[in-house]
Amino acid sequence: MKAKIILLLFFLFSVSGFSQNITVSGVVTGSEDNMPVPGVNVIVKGTSRGVSTDFDGNYSIEVKTGEILEFSSIGLKTVNITVANQKTMNVSMATDVESLDEIVVIGYGTQKKADLTGSITTIKSEDITRTPAGAAMQSLQGKVAGLQVVSSGAPGTSPTVRVRGLGSYTGGGASNPLYVVDGTFYDDINFLNNEDIETISVLKDASASAIYGVRAANGVVLIQTKSGKANQKPQITYSGYQGVQIAQNVVKLSNSEQFSTLARESGSAAEASFIEEAMQRYGRSRVNPNIPNVNTDWYDLILRNALIQNHSLGVTGGTESATYSLGLSQFEQEGILRMKNDYERFNMRTKLNVDISDRLNVGVSALFSNATRYRPEEGAFNSAYFAVPIMPVLDPSKTDAYPRPYANAQDLGYRGPQNPFPLMENTENRNKIRNTLMNFDLQYQFVPDKLTFKTSYSHNFETLETREVRLPYFFGTGDAFRENAELVKRNETFSEQTWDNTLTYNDDFGKHNLTLLAGTSFRDRSWEQLEAKGLNFPNGPGIGDESYFLNLSKTIDVDEVGDNGVRQYFFSYFGRVAYNFDNKYLLYGTFRADGTSKYQEKWGYFPTVGAGWVISSEPFMQNNGVFDFLKIRASWGELGNANVNASTGGITSTEVNAAFGDVLYPGLVTNSDFEALKWEVTAETNVGITAKLFDNQLSVESDYFTRETRDAIIPVSRLLVPGETRQNVGVIKNSGFEIDLNWNKRVSEDFSYTIGANFSTLKNEILDLAGQQNLTSGGDVQQRSVVGGAINSFFGLEVAGVYQTPEEIQADPLAQAAIADGLKVQPGDFRFVDNNGDTKIDAQDRVDLGSYLPTYNFGFNLGLNYKAFDFSLNVIGQGGNVIANIKRFAIRQTPDPNIDRDFAINRWNGPGTSNTYPSARGIRNPWSNQFLNSFFVEKGDFVRLQNVTLGYTLPELKGKFNPDIRFYITAERPLTIFKYNGFTPEVGDGRDTQTYPIPGVYTLGVNIKI
């Protein structure tokens, strides 16, 4: 790794001769009156170096060739000019009352932000690269109203991303957004390096997303990678950071003294005897002779501090007829679980655009990503949570255990081994992931600047090589062991080819501006998998991965050999019209016809329409003193969802014999469980406001939306035949309000600041289940979907308190009814709410305990720039959701486990000690845990200090070699405030069994630009 970094730095400094220092001066004037403009900020883009024009509009600044000078002033359009060899640069600046001429990337083109009628949020490179993470979408957490990003702590995994809620009942990625990278479709962008990204745009409403058709029902995330600029000298950049990850909010488990007390209070003679057995085996504590001389903190042992680093090198530039961009990056992340669970990725990218003639342009881009991920042992955190603290990791007396003398709780009398280390140390799960993206496009202007034809072909090819190694181990006693060495090899290939053709017409005539687009899209999508499992390959001390091959295995498990694949085709026609009259009245519409081989309904037709009114351009709004720009916009549209799995099932026939009279007749019974599916259709209405206020210093984006999924695919019970099939009969609705506020202020030449905040609400509601009472899932931790409620809400009893005395139990008819039914009810047990009023507690008293979907999300950011220093801060949060603490609930059926310290401290242990927590006996009592209840379903609200960054840009150096160098330190997730009794309140599906902890990350980095 060090050799790679040295090589990158050597290349970086060896090309420094591309630039030289010169002094540029000139006059800035207004385009309308040609008068000098004082107070214009002249900044070397991407640095803190800058000056302001004097009273006569004059300026003078020292720059390097190839750098970009940015001229900006309130009320004027910003001008960017690349410095060549000119020493005089006079600039004319046009009036820009709206300050909204920013170009926004939309599907199959671009549009001025001022002309948008849909809801689009764009995040730029400088905000993306502040987040030290392997997954690019992690950088958007808390920055986009209406976008929920649920973090993942395991290296190489992608966060859960939801745009405006959950619109599909089925899982498996059915509600994931579509990712479009430089025009190519992806299901995931985990392979991208943050430094390669120029912008990420989130298309939230149907009007903005509809041009992408059936892949866009859950929103679209558009990614533009970095490109060169015309007439730009080669610019070399290096960005790198290195840091440490530290587990945050580690759950405290009961120590030996607390656990021993709980065991003795449990009422179980067996559990009390296990404590005595541990003291016999490991000795007594010198501090407290009533507990064993072992106090193992299992979480502390399985966790570690882990390194993270990233190094990126880029070159961009361009001539009058061509632009180019090249990039290399290396990302490495260790996992905080103390086993081989690391992630390493090496990326290469290139992008080239060439003007063959005044009318013909050709573009080529390629990206290659080579990653290796070692997955963590899935059961480690769950096992550590339940492992008893009165047992060590290793027991030297266990001479018959291998490959190490692992301690075993079964030696003490427990029913399970309760030691996570054999699994962690004898399991290795490796994924090799290779992504290749290639894109070629050709653009020809039949009528210059008016009629343009573009054809583009892209190919996304991915291979996944999985190797799962499970080595044998034995505890020496009991039934917990792995007898055979197991090797699983799985090779998968995924290919998606897309060929798009568009014809675009742009025209301005009088006060009219018109853009028409028509196009076709063809996609060929395929996936193949080959899998085999071998047993008893060579293994043991001194033998490594040179033996991890199937041909060395003594046995091939034929039942585990699999060969699978699927291929699907899509073809679409689409069109778009965008009309602007007098920069006041906006109309926008799209129509897309999608055909596919995936469903029985081959074609779907999806229209959208949007409108906008720029009120600030009306005469009655001139010189109002508050609004510099004010636009009202509204849109409606329909989209199809192609993310739901294709139809399954078939027709089966069974031979039967039936007797009529005295004659036996043969017959045939035919049964069909085939799912004849069609599109899920999402209809969305969006109303919004875009505004600039107080000399363009305050910007406001606000939206209200309703998104209704019709023909939602849900399971339906079959008549007269056991089982169920999926059918298009459900209706699901999401609605909410979003607001995004940003204040920008340049106080002086040395000091400026920005303040931003966003807030969004969400209501998820099921409107129709085709007459079914509910949809149920989740097993013991039951989740239900009912009309009027949210998808998969948790369902259980409502706790009213804890019984304090025998007299309370005697006086409670609910407790007496349970005792009459044979249940034991004692002080320290839960009291429940009789919701149906039948004077007994049973399954009919269960109620909705809440949804895992947050009802609100928010974000706040602050940025300060003072001379060479820059500082930024981000805060995020959410609320209104709940988390099922399944690991705590599972204590009722897990063999003799430990439990968290929070319970040990706050448990009921006598009248008046707690009216919330049950006793050590009560938490295991069938009366208290016969069903999931509200004690185990906790609030998921949290507030987090997401990111703090402090940077310093070095002063200019004298001489020809004068790079821009900025050093920075970053703290990512240093503080999270929440009440949930777990590592993190971020649980994607709300079911916390063994969530991988999300670490805090502390890094030191440098940016160098030449």
Side-chain angles (χ1 to χ4, degrees):
M1 184 62 216
K2 291 183 178 178
K4 294 179 182 178
I5 298 173
I6 293 172
L7 182 62
L8 291 177
L9 291 175
F10 175 77
F11 175 71
L12 172 70
F13 290 110
S14 67
V15 294
S16 61
F18 278 117
S19 59
Q20 58 181 336
N21 291 344
I22 61 173
T23 299
V24 175
S25 60
V27 180
V28 178
T29 58
S31 61
E32 295 184 359
D33 53 14
N34 205 32
M35 295 295 291
V37 182
V40 173
N41 298 309
V42 185
I43 305 294
V44 179
K45 196 168 185 178
T47 74
S48 59
R49 292 184 284 126
V51 297
S52 297
T53 57
D54 61 18
F55 182 78
D56 296 318
N58 298 307
Y59 75 94
S60 178
I61 187 171
E62 187 173 303
V63 295
K64 294 177 291 190
T65 56
E67 289 187 319
I68 299 174
L69 282 181
E70 181 180 83
F71 299 79
S72 63
S73 182
I74 294 174
L76 299 175
K77 295 181 179 179
T78 298
V79 176
N80 290 284
I81 300 178
T82 302
V83 178
N85 293 315
Q86 68 270 46
K87 294 185 178 181
T88 300
M89 190 181 296
N90 296 322
V91 177
S92 177
M93 300 184 70
T95 301
D96 183 19
V97 176
E98 304 99 45
S99 296
L100 286 170
D101 276 355
E102 176 186 351
I103 298 299
V104 176
V105 177
I106 60 175
Y108 300 100
T110 60
Q111 194 174 16
K112 285 200 307 181
K113 189 174 182 180
D115 294 342
L116 292 177
T117 60
S119 182
I120 299 177
T121 300
T122 299
I123 305 299
K124 296 184 178 179
S125 175
E126 53 266 29
D127 293 318
I128 298 169
T129 55
R130 285 197 184 104
T131 302
M137 289 304 294
Q138 186 64 57
S139 64
L140 269 63
Q141 192 170 29
K143 294 185 174 71
V144 179
L147 178 73
Q148 184 192 12
V149 180
V150 183
S151 304
S152 176
T157 56
S158 299
T160 300
V161 178
R162 300 186 183 107
V163 180
R164 291 185 168 179
L166 201 62
S168 185
Y169 178 79
T170 57
S175 294
N176 291 348
L178 167 67
Y179 299 95
V180 183
V181 182
D182 292 337
T184 303
F185 291 3
Y186 285 92
D187 296 324
D188 185 14
I189 56 168
N190 203 31
F191 61 91
L192 279 180
N193 185 280
N194 286 1
E195 292 287 346
D196 291 335
I197 299 173
E198 185 68 34
T199 62
I200 298 180
S201 297
V202 182
L203 282 55
K204 295 185 284 188
D205 73 321
S207 176
S209 306
I211 198 69
Y212 288 111
V214 296
R215 294 288 298 276
N218 303 306
V220 178
V221 179
L222 294 181
I223 295 95
Q224 294 291 111
T225 60
K226 291 182 177 178
S227 303
K229 296 179 175 61
N231 298 311
Q232 176 190 347
K233 289 294 183 75
Q235 186 175 85
I236 299 98
T237 58
Y238 166 78
S239 298
Y241 63 78
Q242 186 155 355
V244 62
Q245 305 165 91
I246 301 174
Q248 302 284 82
N249 308 301
V250 177
V251 175
K252 297 296 183 182
L253 301 173
S254 298
N255 59 31
S256 289
E257 184 171 359
Q258 292 165 331
F259 176 76
S260 299
T261 301
L262 291 170
R264 291 174 176 132
E265 289 182 2
S266 68
S268 168
E271 290 196 39
S273 70
F274 301 155
I275 304 298
E276 298 299 323
E277 184 65 32
M279 290 190 291
Q280 290 291 326
R281 190 176 186 91
Y282 304 118
R284 294 176 181 268
S285 169
R286 294 181 180 180
V287 178
N288 183 349
N290 294 316
I291 65 174
N293 191 32
V294 179
N295 187 20
T296 303
D297 186 335
W298 291 97
Y299 276 155
D300 182 64
L301 292 178
I302 70 171
L303 292 171
R304 65 184 178 186
N305 293 340
L307 297 178
I308 184 172
Q309 60 180 328
N310 187 64
H311 303 277
S312 300
L313 180 67
V315 181
T316 60
T319 65
E320 188 173 345
S321 60
T323 62
Y324 59 87
S325 176
L326 306 170
L328 298 174
S329 65
Q330 175 83 12
F331 176 81
E332 293 182 0
Q333 181 182 10
E334 293 179 342
I336 60 174
L337 181 62
R338 198 181 296 275
M339 65 172 294
K340 198 171 184 62
N341 72 125
D342 310 331
Y343 179 67
E344 181 179 7
R345 182 184 63 215
F346 179 75
N347 280 13
M348 295 187 296
R349 65 171 179 84
T350 180
K351 184 184 287 188
L352 175 66
N353 280 279
V354 180
D355 291 329
I356 305 298
S357 67
D358 291 341
R359 296 190 177 188
L360 180 62
N361 174 274
V362 174
V364 179
S365 65
L367 188 151
F368 174 73
S369 177
N370 184 17
T372 301
R373 179 191 175 211
Y374 287 91
R375 306 194 317 271
E377 168 53 46
E378 297 296 337
F381 291 104
N382 185 274
S383 179
Y385 180 84
F386 294 117
V388 295
I390 58 174
M391 176 187 72
V393 175
L394 300 176
D395 184 345
S397 67
K398 297 179 67 61
T399 56
D400 53 348
Y402 66 82
R404 297 211 292 163
Y406 297 114
N408 184 358
Q410 291 174 317
D411 291 322
L412 307 179
Y414 293 97
R415 287 169 284 176
Q418 299 192 25
N419 189 337
F421 279 88
L423 278 174
M424 292 167 54
E425 294 179 349
N426 298 285
T427 303
E428 182 183 290
N429 299 317
R430 187 191 71 182
N431 288 353
K432 282 191 173 182
I433 312 157
R434 297 181 180 90
N435 284 86
T436 302
L437 159 65
M438 300 195 67
N439 183 280
F440 172 82
D441 64 77
L442 181 148
Q443 186 169 287
Y444 183 77
Q445 297 187 43
F446 286 107
V447 180
D449 299 323
K450 291 200 175 198
L451 185 61
T452 303
F453 170 76
K454 182 177 181 179
T455 183
S456 63
Y457 168 80
S458 63
H459 192 180
N460 167 27
F461 184 76
E462 179 180 345
T463 63
L464 172 61
E465 299 176 12
T466 299
R467 186 186 71 187
E468 297 174 354
V469 179
R470 305 178 188 117
L471 300 177
Y473 61 82
F474 181 50
F475 281 100
T477 57
D479 56 359
F481 60 90
R482 184 186 287 159
E483 182 177 6
N484 298 311
E486 301 175 359
L487 175 64
V488 175
K489 291 285 188 77
R490 186 182 306 111
N491 287 355
E492 299 178 56
T493 59
F494 175 80
S495 173
E496 183 161 11
Q497 301 178 78
T498 305
W499 182 31
D500 293 334
N501 293 278
T502 59
L503 188 65
T504 305
Y505 176 75
N506 289 288
D507 201 5
D508 290 294
F509 45 96
K511 295 183 178 181
H512 307 273
N513 177 272
L514 179 65
T515 299
L516 300 174
L517 179 141
T520 63
S521 180
F522 170 77
R523 286 196 298 120
D524 177 359
R525 184 180 173 97
S526 63
W527 169 81
E528 292 183 357
Q529 180 189 77
L530 182 63
E531 178 178 359
K533 179 179 180 179
L535 302 175
N536 297 321
F537 51 88
N539 66 91
I543 301 177
D545 58 6
E546 68 274 8
S547 69
Y548 298 163
F549 294 95
L550 290 172
N551 66 317
L552 298 180
S553 300
K554 293 181 179 180
T555 305
I556 298 297
D557 189 343
V558 294
D559 293 331
E560 297 290 335
V561 175
D563 190 5
N564 199 4
V566 65
R567 191 166 191 176
Q568 297 166 348
Y569 298 95
F570 300 80
F571 191 81
S572 305
Y573 301 95
F574 55 88
R576 174 170 62 210
V577 56
Y579 174 71
N580 177 330
F581 176 74
D582 198 22
N583 293 319
K584 296 181 187 178
Y585 312 112
L586 314 171
L587 284 175
Y588 182 88
T590 65
F591 182 82
R592 180 151 178 148
D594 282 301
T596 180
S597 63
K598 187 172 185 177
Y599 301 117
Q600 278 57 59
E601 183 183 47
K602 300 302 181 185
W603 285 91
Y605 305 94
F606 310 107
T608 67
V609 62
W613 177 25
V614 183
I615 303 175
S616 55
S617 294
E618 298 291 354
F620 61 83
M621 285 291 289
Q622 301 302 310
N623 302 316
N624 62 81
V626 177
F627 289 98
D628 304 293
F629 180 86
L630 177 62
K631 175 177 65 178
I632 297 176
R633 46 187 171 77
S635 65
W636 173 89
E638 288 187 342
L639 295 166
N641 185 8
N643 288 353
V644 180
N645 292 334
S647 303
T648 60
I651 299 175
T652 58
S653 299
T654 305
E655 291 185 1
V656 296
N657 293 310
F660 293 93
D662 295 327
V663 182
L664 191 66
Y665 294 93
L668 197 66
V669 175
T670 301
N671 179 45
S672 173
D673 62 353
F674 183 73
E675 302 170 333
L677 299 179
K678 58 182 181 179
W679 310 105
E680 286 187 338
V681 177
T682 296
E684 183 170 9
T685 300
N686 191 95
V687 179
I689 294 175
T690 301
K692 290 271 190 176
L693 298 85
F694 310 123
D695 292 331
N696 294 293
Q697 293 177 120
L698 176 64
S699 63
V700 180
E701 292 276 350
S702 182
D703 291 89
Y704 174 78
F705 72 92
T706 60
R707 170 182 287 184
E708 192 171 292
T709 303
R710 303 161 187 165
D711 296 328
I713 298 174
I714 62 173
V716 178
S717 299
R718 299 196 297 265
L719 294 176
L720 305 178
V721 181
E724 56 188 22
T725 58
R726 295 178 303 157
Q727 299 180 26
N728 294 89
V729 292
V731 180
I732 302 168
K733 180 181 178 181
N734 291 276
S735 60
F737 169 77
E738 303 165 356
I739 186 167
D740 196 324
L741 306 172
N742 285 282
W743 175 271
N744 295 272
K745 179 72 173 181
R746 178 172 287 276
V747 179
S748 66
E749 181 179 335
D750 292 332
F751 179 64
S752 63
Y753 67 90
T754 63
I755 300 175
N758 67 76
F759 181 83
S760 60
T761 67
L762 176 69
K763 182 179 180 181
N764 179 265
E765 184 180 8
I766 295 176
L767 301 184
D768 192 1
L769 292 175
Q772 298 179 101
Q773 187 175 10
N774 61 70
L775 301 177
T776 302
S777 62
D780 290 338
V781 183
Q782 195 169 105
Q783 292 174 264
R784 282 194 174 183
S785 301
V786 300
V787 173
I791 291 178
N792 285 333
S793 292
F794 293 104
F795 189 70
L797 298 177
E798 189 176 356
V799 173
V802 175
Y803 289 115
Q804 302 294 319
T805 63
E807 290 74 19
E808 280 190 23
I809 297 173
Q810 187 67 31
D812 186 1
L814 300 176
Q816 293 306 306
I819 293 171
D821 287 339
L823 293 173
K824 289 184 178 180
V825 183
Q826 298 179 12
D829 288 346
F830 286 128
R831 289 190 297 112
F832 296 109
V833 177
D834 180 18
N835 281 296
N836 68 348
D838 63 355
T839 322
K840 65 178 180 178
I841 298 298
D842 57 18
Q844 305 307 312
D845 293 300
R846 290 177 294 175
V847 294
D848 188 330
L849 299 178
S851 169
Y852 63 90
L853 295 173
T855 58
Y856 65 88
N857 287 270
F858 62 87
F860 169 81
N861 64 82
L862 171 68
L864 304 174
N865 289 277
Y866 178 71
K867 293 187 177 180
F869 290 93
D870 61 89
F871 173 82
S872 65
L873 176 149
N874 292 94
V875 176
I876 69 169
Q878 69 179 38
N881 62 306
V882 296
I883 303 168
N885 196 337
I886 297 177
K887 58 186 185 298
R888 177 183 269 187
F889 183 55
I891 192 174
R892 76 198 198 285
Q893 59 186 16
T894 302
D896 318 305
N898 194 10
I899 194 170
D900 54 81
R901 191 174 300 178
D902 170 73
F903 177 83
I905 294 173
N906 296 293
R907 76 192 186 285
W908 184 94
N909 61 348
T913 54
S914 175
N915 196 37
T916 305
Y917 289 70
S919 66
R921 188 205 57 80
I923 198 170
R924 292 184 173 91
N925 186 10
W927 160 258
S928 288
N929 57 43
Q930 56 184 315
F931 303 107
L932 178 69
N933 64 58
S934 57
F935 174 77
F936 300 102
V937 179
E938 305 178 41
K939 290 184 178 180
D941 305 23
F942 74 88
V943 176
R944 173 183 292 152
L945 180 56
Q946 181 75 3
N947 182 283
V948 181
T949 299
L950 176 64
Y952 176 73
T953 302
L954 293 181
E956 293 185 25
L957 303 175
K958 294 182 180 180
K960 291 185 178 180
F961 180 64
N962 188 18
D964 291 325
I965 302 177
R966 173 180 174 266
F967 291 98
Y968 64 90
I969 55 175
T970 292
E972 180 80 3
R973 298 184 294 265
L975 175 66
T976 306
I977 301 173
F978 62 97
K979 293 184 178 180
Y980 172 66
N981 187 46
F983 278 106
T984 172
E986 292 190 82
V987 183
D989 60 358
R991 300 173 63 89
D992 186 5
T993 56
Q994 48 189 6
T995 302
Y996 197 106
I998 301 172
V1001 186
Y1002 303 88
T1003 60
L1004 173 65
V1006 62
N1007 303 126
I1008 303 175
K1009 184 184 297 183
I1010 299 176

